Amino acid sequence: MRIIIDARSINRGGAGTLLLGVLENLDFTKNEYGLIGDRNELEKLNLPCKIIHNTSRSHSFGSFLNHSLVKVINDYDCFFTPTYIIPVGVKINSYCVFPDTLFFDKRKFSQRRFTDFLKRRVAKRSYRLAKRVFTLSEFSKNRISKIFKNDKKLVVLKPGLCKVFDNVDVIHKETKNYFAFIGSFKRHKNLNSLLLAMEKSGTQNDLHIIVQHKNLRKKDYRRLKQIQKNQKIKILENLTSEEYIREIKNASALIQPSIYEGFAYPLIEAKKLGTPIIASNIESNKEIFSDDEVKYFDPNNIEELTQILKEFEHKDSFEFKKQNEFSNIEVTKKIVSSFELTEKDTHVKRNFVFNVIYQLLVVITPLVTIPYISRILGASNMGQFSFAYTLSFYFIIFGYLGFQQYAQRAIAEVKHDREEQSRVFWQIVIVRLIPVSISLLCLFTLYFLNVFGDYSKLILIFSIIVGSTALDINFFFHGKENFFTVMILNLIIRVVFLVSVFLFVKTRYNLNTYAILYSLMVLGGYLSMWVMLPTNLRKVKLKSLNFKKHMKTSLALFLPVAAISIYAILDKTLIGLLVHGQAYQRIGYITVIANKSDLQNGYYYQAEKIIKALLSVILAYGAVMTTRNTIEYSNNRLGAVKKNVYKSFRFTFAAGVPMALGTIAISKCFVPVFFGQFYDEVAYLLMIYAPVILLTGTSNIIGMQYLLPTKQDKKYSISVLIGFAINLGLNCLLIPFLGARGAIIGTLISEFSIVFIQLLYVTKEIELGIIFKYIWRYLIAGVVMCLACCGIYYFILDIIGVKNLLDLILLIPIGGLIYYLVLLILKEKYIFKYTKLYLIKIGHFFKTATNKTVVQAVSYFVTVNSTNSDHSNRSFQKSTVANIKYDELKKDQEKNENGKRKRK
């Protein structure tokens, strides 16, 4: 992960102290960091990270609107600032610190009212935009949650001391007669009260005021000149770390008289040095020490402080009970873990949405055109298209040579090293040219030998797709978890394709035109990815590229990947080869003679598209989790991988059960509406094919989301190869007799065998009991939904003669409602939880709306009945709404009238 930190406040106040403590404890090997700030100061820290030189003040409004700085920030994954200011235009996840809410709580201290008004606006904006907001005490957390009415994103840090305090024992303690005050001249620091108490007490101790030059304003210098006239007061500016520590350690006591503090660093510094403390009894101070450890006083009572100074006696030793509560190591862990957790959640949720859209685009683009194409071209032409594409797909499989899965994993493993990522990318792209070239050579050779027969023209057109595999770099963006780019670019290309289909495909003789448009769409999608490369890659030298390791790994993955790919298209291939004879086909008002193999392939193609469209939602989530699990495993977080697997099982069955059983329930009325007449066979194919949604979803979780990310490639390969063999054998037996139905039956049995074998492999690694503990609810709800929808369709809608479109309009929402209600009755965890939450919100909304209506009605009634009254009577009517007694108001009015008479 690439993290950029605003370090301009380093060595400046509490924000700078917090930042220094965090920077000292960062692990620079796990993430890539960038620091914004003064290069001269940051280089002194010797941190292995990039420094972006910027000397502007982090609290200035110029910094708030700095567009050039925002461009740099947006190049990273997340942004952290130790202040409450997030610049305008920052698009990445942001994290900020609210040390206190001074300009909200204590406006009487404000010396610049308009500036503080702007600060409040900026703070509200930052709180709304930030993914996490850090604060330094429970007191500040309570105040922030009350002001912003939201504490879900708040994290309390209890900061410790910087590393300069690690070896304070080497500094010899020399007790001297002076009190130390650390802070600024701002009103809430209450320095005036301390000066008055020092003067009244007549103490023999001097007062040393330690300030930082960077924190002083012009009016502060005028105040300095006045204070320095008193010989008992000494001003110390810009001390070195050693001088600062010595000054506190040698003091008779540290005095902290603040009226308001979010967190007082000087107190924990004095604690470390064993210096006695006199502090105001505000809440944030009492969080640090108990009453018997510190002498507390009321900051608004000068007499009490005066008395403490009179009676104070130096203590040679000073012990504290709370020694280990404050630690910068823990603070850094909290901050970085917040980055990782929110980044992971954001990536998973956002990428899931983007990848669902992308997968739906891939599957639905031809699906959107199917109602039109199926009516124009007919089932036999769609069968020819499907069979020709299937034959060309064998060459595409060889062109990829196992790189697609391996490449995504390779990019994900070096996600945080952009230079290595660029090197891996070019190695894979160049090596992949070899199998693609061989694949094209074989295809053209077979074409000139007329091996493909009637399908030669279509396969020649699809050679465009075979060659374009060399340009497919989706693996790069998927490995970077950048699914948004892939989704947007493909959306544009596929919209153009849809428009072109409706413009150029007009009759059943335009099959070749449709194939050309489809091939150009795939090529355009791959080319569009290259436009985004310059901003994602760095230059690498050709000599630094190593091709051997990628070729070796991809060859190892080729067999299982090829088996999966061939397994997906084997059915259509065997239907084209094993089904013989001719049959009549209706296209509109025309009856034509077509090959049975083309018809069966056409029906199978249509049914497969519907099932793949439904599967795309589940597989999209799987693609996101595959990348996430690869990253988790590479960081030695096997527990997180297993947790993600359990989440995937819950999601797959929650979404897959209603999809599969719902398809069975509505297929009879869906097919005529979607495909038109003469496609009745597709309805029966959908009913048989529907369970593959759950089987494929399960095998995707175990194989793609667990076995491959954890580098158990051999187990994954064995399961797929066994499934492939079973599918091949069953298809050869069943397809000649049952056609497309036989192909689907073979697919179901082989998918079940893959799931069974993979479950045997992972029984000792994944607790299956946790999985089956909650999926039974989804199965029961799905069965009830399916039976109810079938009953409604066959016994109600079919009898009364409702048409198919109305069937769909009625059945789909009814089925969804039944599924939801059954899960609610079974108290499914998330359904029950969120239903209860939203019911409470709805109830609260109506309650609030009702109360407002009642108040408005009462106000209106009072106003109408008071039109003929005098001014005092109108005041009374308004006061009743505000619950003020009439007698008290009347007495006040009489007194005022008597006073006026006396004056006259």
Side-chain angles (χ1 to χ4, degrees):
M1 181 165 48
R2 304 180 69 242
I3 303 167
I4 187 165
I5 299 174
D6 187 350
R8 288 174 290 176
S9 57
I10 196 86
N11 298 325
R12 184 178 293 173
T17 307
L18 172 68
L19 180 61
L20 181 59
V22 171
L23 293 178
E24 288 176 341
N25 293 281
L26 283 175
D27 185 354
F28 290 92
T29 60
K30 288 187 177 180
N31 299 302
E32 181 184 341
Y33 290 90
L35 301 180
I36 302 169
D38 189 341
R39 187 181 298 277
N40 296 327
E41 289 189 6
L42 294 175
E43 284 179 347
K44 294 176 184 176
L45 301 176
N46 293 321
L47 301 176
C49 57
K50 183 179 179 181
I51 297 174
I52 298 93
H53 183 66
N54 190 301
T55 55
S56 63
R57 292 182 70 246
S58 57
H59 285 80
S60 66
F61 287 102
S63 174
F64 181 65
L65 301 171
N66 192 332
H67 295 293
S68 60
L69 183 62
V70 166
K71 287 183 180 179
V72 176
I73 293 172
N74 285 334
D75 191 40
Y76 286 76
D77 295 325
C78 65
F79 170 63
F80 171 71
T81 173
T83 67
Y84 59 88
I85 293 181
I86 299 174
V88 173
V90 173
K91 297 177 182 179
I92 60 176
N93 287 345
S94 301
Y95 308 81
C96 62
V97 178
F98 276 59
D100 54 51
T101 54
L102 180 65
F103 40 83
F104 283 96
D105 288 342
K106 300 289 182 182
R107 299 188 185 185
K108 64 181 180 180
F109 296 129
S110 177
Q111 298 170 333
R112 295 176 293 179
R113 295 291 177 88
F114 180 69
T115 302
D116 281 355
F117 168 78
L118 293 178
K119 284 181 180 180
R120 289 193 287 274
R121 302 279 79 75
V122 171
K124 287 181 178 179
R125 173 187 174 273
S126 297
Y127 195 87
R128 187 182 73 254
L129 295 178
K131 289 292 180 182
R132 286 284 187 275
V133 173
F134 304 103
T135 189
L136 307 183
S137 63
E138 292 293 336
F139 163 72
S140 294
K141 178 184 177 181
N142 294 334
R143 290 300 308 134
I144 292 168
S145 61
K146 286 181 181 178
I147 292 168
F148 297 104
K149 298 178 181 178
N150 177 11
D151 62 351
K152 291 182 180 179
K153 58 174 68 175
L154 277 172
V155 177
V156 176
L157 308 172
K158 292 193 174 180
L161 299 173
C162 298
K163 290 185 177 180
V164 294
F165 285 86
D166 289 348
N167 299 316
V168 293
D169 295 335
V170 298
I171 299 176
H172 181 65
K173 183 175 178 64
E174 300 174 4
T175 304
K176 298 181 180 179
N177 296 326
Y178 67 86
F179 296 121
F181 167 83
I182 303 170
S184 63
F185 295 100
K186 293 178 181 178
R187 292 182 185 179
H188 68 280
K189 295 292 184 181
N190 204 22
L191 179 59
N192 288 339
S193 296
L194 175 58
L195 295 176
L196 288 172
M198 286 283 294
E199 187 178 343
K200 286 185 177 182
S201 66
T203 179
Q204 297 299 313
N205 286 340
D206 294 340
L207 177 65
H208 289 189
I209 300 175
I210 302 171
V211 295
Q212 285 185 326
H213 176 77
K214 292 180 180 179
N215 288 339
L216 296 178
R217 298 165 296 180
K218 290 182 180 179
K219 60 174 68 176
D220 294 332
Y221 283 107
R222 292 195 294 269
R223 181 75 174 135
L224 269 175
K225 290 179 182 180
Q226 295 175 358
I227 293 173
Q228 285 176 335
K229 293 177 182 178
N230 189 332
Q231 295 181 352
K232 291 179 69 64
I233 299 175
K234 187 177 181 181
I235 309 293
L236 302 172
E237 291 185 66
N238 301 326
L239 300 178
T240 63
S241 299
E242 186 177 341
E243 290 171 343
Y244 177 81
I245 293 170
R246 194 183 301 278
E247 196 67 30
I248 300 174
K249 191 168 186 177
N250 294 336
S252 299
L254 174 75
I255 303 179
Q256 203 266 341
S258 298
I259 297 174
Y260 187 96
E261 288 286 351
F263 182 83
Y265 271 102
L267 297 190
I268 61 172
E269 293 170 348
K271 168 193 127 173
K272 176 71 174 177
L273 298 169
T275 304
I277 299 172
I278 303 170
S280 56
N281 60 357
I282 55 179
E283 288 184 45
S284 59
N285 286 349
K286 289 200 167 187
E287 281 186 41
I288 303 175
F289 303 115
S290 58
D291 292 341
D292 58 343
E293 293 178 302
V294 174
K295 191 68 176 177
Y296 285 114
F297 65 92
D298 184 353
N300 296 312
N301 189 339
I302 296 176
E303 298 298 329
E304 186 179 350
L305 177 57
T306 302
Q307 190 64 29
I308 291 172
L309 294 178
K310 283 180 181 179
E311 298 174 355
F312 184 81
E313 293 181 1
H314 172 64
K315 298 180 181 179
D316 292 331
S317 62
F318 201 79
E319 296 181 357
F320 294 90
K321 295 179 181 178
K322 300 180 180 179
Q323 290 293 330
N324 299 317
E325 185 176 356
F326 305 97
S327 168
N328 277 335
I329 296 175
E330 292 302 317
V331 166
T332 306
K333 283 182 181 178
K334 278 187 179 181
I335 293 174
V336 175
S337 63
S338 294
F339 296 162
E340 292 173 350
L341 285 172
T342 52
E343 284 297 308
K344 181 174 74 173
D345 291 343
T346 303
H347 275 304
V348 171
K349 292 174 184 176
R350 183 178 61 196
N351 289 336
F352 169 63
V353 173
F354 292 152
N355 203 34
V356 165
I357 296 171
Y358 172 69
Q359 295 294 340
L360 286 174
L361 284 172
V362 171
V363 178
I364 291 181
T365 303
L367 201 64
V368 169
T369 59
I370 280 177
Y372 175 75
I373 293 295
S374 63
R375 288 167 170 82
I376 297 296
L377 298 180
S380 61
N381 275 336
M382 295 307 298
Q384 289 181 42
F385 177 91
S386 174
F387 185 63
Y389 183 76
T390 300
L391 294 178
S392 63
F393 198 76
Y394 288 100
F395 299 95
I396 294 172
I397 292 169
F398 184 80
Y400 278 121
L401 200 67
F403 275 109
Q404 200 67 354
Q405 280 71 21
Y406 163 71
Q408 182 176 333
R409 187 172 74 186
I411 293 295
E413 286 175 349
V414 292
K415 181 184 175 185
H416 303 304
D417 188 343
R418 182 169 288 192
E419 187 172 343
E420 182 61 25
Q421 198 176 65
S422 303
R423 190 176 292 109
V424 169
F425 170 81
W426 286 114
Q427 287 167 354
I428 291 171
V429 168
I430 293 171
V431 168
R432 205 173 56 184
L433 291 173
I434 299 170
V436 172
S437 301
I438 295 171
S439 188
L440 277 173
L441 181 63
C442 293
L443 186 145
F444 288 129
T445 301
L446 294 174
Y447 171 77
F448 286 116
L449 294 174
N450 199 27
V451 173
F452 303 119
D454 296 337
Y455 303 97
S456 294
K457 286 185 180 179
L458 284 172
I459 289 176
L460 183 61
I461 293 169
F462 289 138
S463 66
I464 297 171
I465 300 177
V466 177
S468 67
T469 55
L471 303 173
D472 182 7
I473 55 171
N474 280 323
F475 69 88
F476 178 71
F477 294 99
H478 286 182
K480 285 171 63 67
E481 295 188 286
N482 185 359
F483 292 86
F484 177 74
T485 302
V486 177
M487 184 269 293
I488 289 296
L489 294 174
N490 273 275
L491 176 62
I492 296 169
I493 297 297
R494 289 173 188 275
V495 167
V496 173
F497 167 72
L498 290 176
V499 174
S500 301
V501 167
F502 291 116
L503 288 176
F504 300 110
V505 181
K506 298 291 187 180
T507 68
R508 66 190 183 94
Y509 302 107
N510 294 138
L511 176 60
N512 291 340
T513 305
Y514 178 70
I516 291 169
L517 292 174
Y518 185 83
S519 301
L520 291 176
M521 175 196 69
V522 175
L523 176 62
Y526 293 158
L527 286 173
S528 64
M529 298 290 110
W530 289 80
V531 177
M532 305 302 297
L533 275 183
T535 58
N536 288 277
L537 291 177
R538 291 181 179 175
K539 291 182 179 179
V540 293
K541 294 180 179 179
L542 188 62
K543 293 180 180 179
S544 66
L545 301 181
N546 180 13
F547 304 106
K548 290 182 180 179
K549 63 176 184 178
H550 299 296
M551 181 63 78
K552 184 179 178 180
T553 311
S554 64
L555 283 171
L557 277 173
F558 174 65
L559 278 179
V561 171
I564 293 171
S565 302
I566 294 171
Y567 170 72
I569 62 171
L570 184 64
D571 297 347
K572 288 174 278 189
T573 306
L574 292 176
I575 289 171
L577 295 175
L578 300 178
V579 176
H580 303 289
Q582 293 182 327
Y584 291 102
Q585 178 204 6
R586 289 287 301 274
I587 303 176
Y589 299 102
I590 303 171
T591 302
V592 297
I593 299 174
N595 292 327
K596 280 187 179 180
S597 60
D598 291 339
L599 281 174
Q600 290 294 315
N601 251 327
Y603 296 144
Y604 184 88
Y605 177 77
Q606 308 291 42
E608 185 188 44
K609 284 295 179 185
I610 300 299
I611 297 299
K612 281 190 174 180
L614 298 173
L615 257 175
S616 62
V617 177
I618 295 172
L619 296 182
Y621 184 79
V624 173
M625 296 310 295
T626 298
T627 304
R628 172 51 50 190
N629 287 347
T630 302
I631 295 168
E632 297 287 13
Y633 187 76
S634 64
N635 292 324
N636 297 318
R637 296 175 188 154
L638 186 58
V641 174
K642 291 180 180 179
K643 188 177 179 181
N644 290 338
V645 168
Y646 297 139
K647 285 182 180 178
S648 294
F649 267 108
R650 183 184 286 273
F651 172 79
T652 297
F653 277 84
V657 167
M659 286 179 185
L661 297 177
T663 300
I664 294 171
I666 68 168
S667 58
K668 289 285 286 185
C669 58
F670 169 76
V671 169
V673 172
F674 193 75
F675 297 106
Q677 297 178 341
F678 319 118
Y679 284 91
D680 294 339
E681 177 65 16
V682 178
Y684 297 104
L685 295 180
L686 283 174
M687 290 180 188
I688 304 169
Y689 210 173
V692 85
I693 294 173
L694 292 174
L695 293 172
T696 303
T698 303
S699 65
N700 178 268
I701 295 170
I702 302 172
M704 299 295 292
Q705 297 180 43
Y706 184 75
L707 292 177
L708 284 182
T710 56
K711 298 186 178 180
Q712 300 183 54
D713 300 351
K714 186 177 179 181
K715 294 178 181 179
Y716 175 69
S717 302
I718 291 171
S719 66
V720 172
L721 289 171
I722 292 173
F724 173 77
I726 292 171
N727 191 33
L728 178 61
L730 289 173
N731 281 342
C732 290
L733 289 174
L734 299 175
I735 287 176
F737 304 101
L738 300 175
R741 295 188 188 187
I744 290 174
I745 293 170
T747 300
L748 286 174
I749 296 172
S750 61
E751 282 287 348
F752 178 80
S753 65
I754 291 173
V755 171
F756 180 74
I757 294 166
Q758 289 179 347
L759 284 174
L760 290 177
Y761 278 133
V762 300
T763 46
K764 294 182 180 179
E765 301 174 44
I766 296 174
E767 297 181 38
L768 300 180
I770 295 176
I771 298 167
F772 294 111
K773 186 178 179 180
Y774 49 76
I775 65 172
W776 64 269
R777 292 184 175 87
Y778 303 123
L779 293 171
I780 291 174
V783 170
V784 172
M785 176 200 70
C786 183
L787 293 174
C789 288
C790 289
I792 293 169
Y793 177 73
Y794 289 106
F795 297 105
I796 299 176
L797 300 178
D798 196 35
I799 292 173
I800 63 176
V802 178
K803 291 185 179 179
N804 290 317
L805 182 59
L806 292 176
D807 291 347
L808 281 177
I809 295 171
L810 291 170
L811 283 178
I812 292 175
I814 288 172
L817 181 62
I818 292 170
Y819 183 72
Y820 166 76
L821 291 175
V822 175
L823 287 178
L824 197 61
I825 293 167
L826 295 174
K827 294 187 177 180
E828 199 280 332
K829 181 180 176 182
Y830 292 105
I831 295 289
F832 192 78
K833 174 184 173 182
Y834 287 109
T835 301
K836 185 178 178 181
L837 180 66
Y838 284 115
L839 284 175
I840 291 170
K841 286 185 177 180
I842 292 168
H844 179 71
F845 171 78
F846 281 112
K847 184 178 178 181
T848 305
T850 305
N851 290 341
K852 286 182 179 179
T853 306
V854 171
V855 170
Q856 289 172 358
V858 171
S859 301
Y860 178 76
F861 177 76
V862 169
T863 305
V864 169
N865 286 279
S866 62
T867 50
N868 297 323
S869 303
D870 57 7
H871 177 72
S872 63
N873 197 26
R874 285 198 303 272
S875 300
F876 159 66
Q877 297 290 355
K878 291 177 182 177
S879 65
T880 51
V881 179
N883 295 321
I884 300 174
K885 294 181 180 179
Y886 172 69
D887 294 336
E888 293 178 2
L889 184 62
K890 196 169 183 179
K891 286 178 183 178
D892 292 338
Q893 289 172 346
E894 288 175 355
K895 285 180 182 179
N896 291 335
E897 289 175 1
N898 291 334
K900 288 178 182 178
R901 288 179 192 141
K902 288 179 181 179
R903 288 189 203 101
K904 288 179 180 179

mmCIF file of all heavy atoms in Angstrom, residues 395 434-448 466:
data_model
loop_
_atom_site.group_PDB
_atom_site.id
_atom_site.type_symbol
_atom_site.label_atom_id
_atom_site.label_comp_id
_atom_site.label_asym_id
_atom_site.label_seq_id
_atom_site.Cartn_x
_atom_site.Cartn_y
_atom_site.Cartn_z
ATOM 1 N N PHE A 395 -7.682 -22.031 -29.962
ATOM 2 C CA PHE A 395 -6.451 -21.298 -30.297
ATOM 3 C C PHE A 395 -6.223 -20.153 -29.292
ATOM 4 O O PHE A 395 -5.076 -19.822 -28.980
ATOM 5 C CB PHE A 395 -6.546 -20.748 -31.727
ATOM 6 C CG PHE A 395 -6.692 -21.818 -32.764
ATOM 7 C CD1 PHE A 395 -7.946 -22.209 -33.234
ATOM 8 C CD2 PHE A 395 -5.576 -22.472 -33.260
ATOM 9 C CE1 PHE A 395 -8.083 -23.199 -34.190
ATOM 10 C CE2 PHE A 395 -5.700 -23.475 -34.224
ATOM 11 C CZ PHE A 395 -6.961 -23.843 -34.677
ATOM 12 N N ILE A 434 5.003 -15.277 -27.831
ATOM 13 C CA ILE A 434 5.427 -16.551 -28.442
ATOM 14 C C ILE A 434 4.236 -17.487 -28.650
ATOM 15 O O ILE A 434 3.981 -17.929 -29.785
ATOM 16 C CB ILE A 434 6.528 -17.218 -27.583
ATOM 17 C CG1 ILE A 434 7.756 -16.307 -27.501
ATOM 18 C CG2 ILE A 434 6.898 -18.585 -28.145
ATOM 19 C CD1 ILE A 434 8.794 -16.767 -26.498
ATOM 20 N N PRO A 435 3.453 -17.835 -27.595
ATOM 21 C CA PRO A 435 2.319 -18.748 -27.824
ATOM 22 C C PRO A 435 1.237 -18.154 -28.717
ATOM 23 O O PRO A 435 0.591 -18.895 -29.474
ATOM 24 C CB PRO A 435 1.782 -19.014 -26.407
ATOM 25 C CG PRO A 435 2.274 -17.896 -25.575
ATOM 26 C CD PRO A 435 3.590 -17.500 -26.161
ATOM 27 N N VAL A 436 1.050 -16.822 -28.656
ATOM 28 C CA VAL A 436 0.031 -16.202 -29.519
ATOM 29 C C VAL A 436 0.433 -16.337 -30.991
ATOM 30 O O VAL A 436 -0.406 -16.647 -31.857
ATOM 31 C CB VAL A 436 -0.179 -14.710 -29.143
ATOM 32 C CG1 VAL A 436 -1.088 -14.023 -30.149
ATOM 33 C CG2 VAL A 436 -0.769 -14.596 -27.746
ATOM 34 N N SER A 437 1.703 -16.135 -31.289
ATOM 35 C CA SER A 437 2.181 -16.253 -32.677
ATOM 36 C C SER A 437 2.029 -17.683 -33.183
ATOM 37 O O SER A 437 1.585 -17.916 -34.324
ATOM 38 C CB SER A 437 3.649 -15.833 -32.753
ATOM 39 O OG SER A 437 3.806 -14.505 -32.307
ATOM 40 N N ILE A 438 2.378 -18.663 -32.337
ATOM 41 C CA ILE A 438 2.229 -20.068 -32.728
ATOM 42 C C ILE A 438 0.761 -20.401 -32.966
ATOM 43 O O ILE A 438 0.404 -21.111 -33.923
ATOM 44 C CB ILE A 438 2.823 -20.990 -31.637
ATOM 45 C CG1 ILE A 438 4.333 -20.761 -31.530
ATOM 46 C CG2 ILE A 438 2.520 -22.452 -31.923
ATOM 47 C CD1 ILE A 438 4.970 -21.448 -30.342
ATOM 48 N N SER A 439 -0.114 -19.885 -32.114
ATOM 49 C CA SER A 439 -1.545 -20.152 -32.226
ATOM 50 C C SER A 439 -2.112 -19.609 -33.535
ATOM 51 O O SER A 439 -2.878 -20.290 -34.231
ATOM 52 C CB SER A 439 -2.262 -19.523 -31.029
ATOM 53 O OG SER A 439 -3.603 -19.897 -30.996
ATOM 54 N N LEU A 440 -1.728 -18.384 -33.893
ATOM 55 C CA LEU A 440 -2.199 -17.789 -35.155
ATOM 56 C C LEU A 440 -1.679 -18.559 -36.358
ATOM 57 O O LEU A 440 -2.406 -18.771 -37.348
ATOM 58 C CB LEU A 440 -1.747 -16.327 -35.231
ATOM 59 C CG LEU A 440 -2.614 -15.288 -34.509
ATOM 60 C CD1 LEU A 440 -1.940 -13.931 -34.545
ATOM 61 C CD2 LEU A 440 -4.006 -15.209 -35.132
ATOM 62 N N LEU A 441 -0.441 -18.994 -36.303
ATOM 63 C CA LEU A 441 0.145 -19.746 -37.410
ATOM 64 C C LEU A 441 -0.627 -21.047 -37.642
ATOM 65 O O LEU A 441 -0.933 -21.412 -38.795
ATOM 66 C CB LEU A 441 1.616 -20.038 -37.100
ATOM 67 C CG LEU A 441 2.399 -20.809 -38.168
ATOM 68 C CD1 LEU A 441 2.473 -20.018 -39.475
ATOM 69 C CD2 LEU A 441 3.807 -21.136 -37.672
ATOM 70 N N CYS A 442 -0.964 -21.745 -36.563
ATOM 71 C CA CYS A 442 -1.725 -23.002 -36.676
ATOM 72 C C CYS A 442 -3.120 -22.753 -37.249
ATOM 73 O O CYS A 442 -3.618 -23.518 -38.092
ATOM 74 C CB CYS A 442 -1.832 -23.677 -35.312
ATOM 75 S SG CYS A 442 -0.256 -24.267 -34.659
ATOM 76 N N LEU A 443 -3.774 -21.682 -36.792
ATOM 77 C CA LEU A 443 -5.130 -21.378 -37.262
ATOM 78 C C LEU A 443 -5.151 -21.112 -38.767
ATOM 79 O O LEU A 443 -6.002 -21.655 -39.500
ATOM 80 C CB LEU A 443 -5.679 -20.177 -36.496
ATOM 81 C CG LEU A 443 -7.142 -19.810 -36.775
ATOM 82 C CD1 LEU A 443 -7.817 -19.290 -35.524
ATOM 83 C CD2 LEU A 443 -7.274 -18.740 -37.868
ATOM 84 N N PHE A 444 -4.216 -20.278 -39.246
ATOM 85 C CA PHE A 444 -4.201 -19.954 -40.682
ATOM 86 C C PHE A 444 -3.829 -21.181 -41.527
ATOM 87 O O PHE A 444 -4.331 -21.357 -42.653
ATOM 88 C CB PHE A 444 -3.221 -18.811 -40.949
ATOM 89 C CG PHE A 444 -3.705 -17.481 -40.466
ATOM 90 C CD1 PHE A 444 -2.909 -16.675 -39.669
ATOM 91 C CD2 PHE A 444 -4.982 -17.028 -40.785
ATOM 92 C CE1 PHE A 444 -3.361 -15.449 -39.219
ATOM 93 C CE2 PHE A 444 -5.443 -15.796 -40.343
ATOM 94 C CZ PHE A 444 -4.630 -15.005 -39.546
ATOM 95 N N THR A 445 -2.978 -22.035 -40.987
ATOM 96 C CA THR A 445 -2.614 -23.257 -41.715
ATOM 97 C C THR A 445 -3.837 -24.146 -41.920
ATOM 98 O O THR A 445 -4.097 -24.643 -43.032
ATOM 99 C CB THR A 445 -1.528 -24.025 -40.933
ATOM 100 O OG1 THR A 445 -0.392 -23.183 -40.764
ATOM 101 C CG2 THR A 445 -1.126 -25.289 -41.687
ATOM 102 N N LEU A 446 -4.616 -24.336 -40.848
ATOM 103 C CA LEU A 446 -5.824 -25.161 -40.926
ATOM 104 C C LEU A 446 -6.879 -24.514 -41.819
ATOM 105 O O LEU A 446 -7.638 -25.203 -42.510
ATOM 106 C CB LEU A 446 -6.386 -25.414 -39.533
ATOM 107 C CG LEU A 446 -5.504 -26.257 -38.602
ATOM 108 C CD1 LEU A 446 -6.092 -26.308 -37.207
ATOM 109 C CD2 LEU A 446 -5.345 -27.681 -39.167
ATOM 110 N N TYR A 447 -6.919 -23.196 -41.820
ATOM 111 C CA TYR A 447 -7.887 -22.491 -42.675
ATOM 112 C C TYR A 447 -7.577 -22.735 -44.147
ATOM 113 O O TYR A 447 -8.483 -23.029 -44.949
ATOM 114 C CB TYR A 447 -7.859 -20.995 -42.361
ATOM 115 C CG TYR A 447 -8.655 -20.157 -43.337
ATOM 116 C CD1 TYR A 447 -10.048 -20.108 -43.277
ATOM 117 C CD2 TYR A 447 -8.001 -19.438 -44.333
ATOM 118 C CE1 TYR A 447 -10.775 -19.347 -44.187
ATOM 119 C CE2 TYR A 447 -8.719 -18.674 -45.243
ATOM 120 C CZ TYR A 447 -10.114 -18.630 -45.167
ATOM 121 O OH TYR A 447 -10.828 -17.884 -46.076
ATOM 122 N N PHE A 448 -6.317 -22.609 -44.541
ATOM 123 C CA PHE A 448 -5.951 -22.800 -45.950
ATOM 124 C C PHE A 448 -6.100 -24.259 -46.379
ATOM 125 O O PHE A 448 -6.287 -24.558 -47.561
ATOM 126 C CB PHE A 448 -4.516 -22.312 -46.195
ATOM 127 C CG PHE A 448 -4.397 -20.822 -46.196
ATOM 128 C CD1 PHE A 448 -3.641 -20.161 -45.241
ATOM 129 C CD2 PHE A 448 -5.062 -20.049 -47.155
ATOM 130 C CE1 PHE A 448 -3.532 -18.779 -45.237
ATOM 131 C CE2 PHE A 448 -4.961 -18.667 -47.162
ATOM 132 C CZ PHE A 448 -4.196 -18.025 -46.205
ATOM 133 N N VAL A 466 -8.228 -14.081 -31.671
ATOM 134 C CA VAL A 466 -7.056 -14.898 -31.330
ATOM 135 C C VAL A 466 -5.814 -14.022 -31.260
ATOM 136 O O VAL A 466 -5.024 -14.105 -30.314
ATOM 137 C CB VAL A 466 -6.868 -16.032 -32.369
ATOM 138 C CG1 VAL A 466 -5.601 -16.831 -32.053
ATOM 139 C CG2 VAL A 466 -8.075 -16.956 -32.382
#
